[in-house]
């Protein structure tokens, strides 16, 4: 069985992009701003970019098996969650909100993703969601694009 991963990039609100990986090989990638001709494509999901990736690869949306997103749930016991609370020590309401509601971006993105996949004709119930921690995605990108000798 072919493994088709649609990767969605860009934080909520800016710089959306999509990439398509088939059996571990990158076959297409494009930023939404290139297609809609609006710098940073603010407040957009990468709908046109995802469509173009599928079109360039000649893959039907129903063939997508995995969808990777740029947010992952962060445990209350993780250092990242407590770092945010510590960083806002001067505003106790922000600190408490960071601890108790630290996954709000992830939850908001998940809600948008359901509608997004339906617009793309990707059956949401048949794909496996792959949440990727945002900063880990940056680090992975730097590592995998670095020249090795």
């Amino acid at each position: 069985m072919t493994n088709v991963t649609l990767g969605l990039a860009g934080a909520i609100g800016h710089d959306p992009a999509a990439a398509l990986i088939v059996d571990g090989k990158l076959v297409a990638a494009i930023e939404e701003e290139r297609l809609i001709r609006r710098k940073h494509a603010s407040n957009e999901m990468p709908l046109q970019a995802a469509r173009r990736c599928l079109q360039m690869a000649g893959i039907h949306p129903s063939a997508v098996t995995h969808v990777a997103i740029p947010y992952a749930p962060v445990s209350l016991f993780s250092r990242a969650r407590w770092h945010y609370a510590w960083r806002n020590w001067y505003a106790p309401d922000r600190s408490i909100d960071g601890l108790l509601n630290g996954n709000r971006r992830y939850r908001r993105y998940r809600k948008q993703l359901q509608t997004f996949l339906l617009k793309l004709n990707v059956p949401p119930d048949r794909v496996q969601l792959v949440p990727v921690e945002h900063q880990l995605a940056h680090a992975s990108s730097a590592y995998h694009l670095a020249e090795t000798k």
Side-chain angles (χ1 to χ4, degrees), residues 3-7 63-68 126-130:
N3 188 1
V4 179
T5 302
L6 176 63
V64 173
T65 58
H66 297 80
V67 175
R126 292 187 41 212
V127 296
Q128 181 180 346
L129 187 63
V130 181

Side-chain angles (χ1 to χ4, degrees), residues 1 4 7 13 17-18 30 39-41 48 56-57 59 74 84 90 94 96 117-119 148:
M1 182 171 142
V4 179
I30 192 163
K39 189 87 171 145
H40 299 298
Q48 300 305 321
M56 288 189 309
I59 293 177
V74 180
Y84 182 80
Y90 58 88
R94 278 187 176 169
I96 291 169
L117 292 176
L118 290 172
K119 284 182 185 176
T148 56

Side-chain angles (χ1 to χ4, degrees), residues 82-149:
W82 286 89
H83 172 76
Y84 182 80
W86 178 83
R87 199 173 77 191
N88 290 295
W89 64 269
Y90 58 88
D93 57 329
R94 278 187 176 169
S95 289
I96 291 169
D97 182 55
L99 283 173
L100 301 179
N101 199 16
N103 286 321
R104 66 179 169 267
R105 283 186 173 169
Y106 173 72
R107 288 192 305 271
R108 190 171 22 159
Y109 200 87
R110 287 284 308 260
K111 285 181 186 176
Q112 291 178 343
L113 186 64
Q114 185 80 5
T115 305
F116 173 81
L117 292 176
L118 290 172
K119 284 182 185 176
L120 196 58
N121 294 323
V122 172
D125 56 334
R126 292 187 41 212
V127 296
Q128 181 180 346
L129 187 63
V130 181
V132 178
E133 188 180 331
H134 186 80
Q135 297 303 328
L136 182 60
H138 284 294
S140 177
S141 173
Y143 173 79
H144 287 97
L145 293 174
E147 186 176 331
T148 56
K149 292 184 178 190

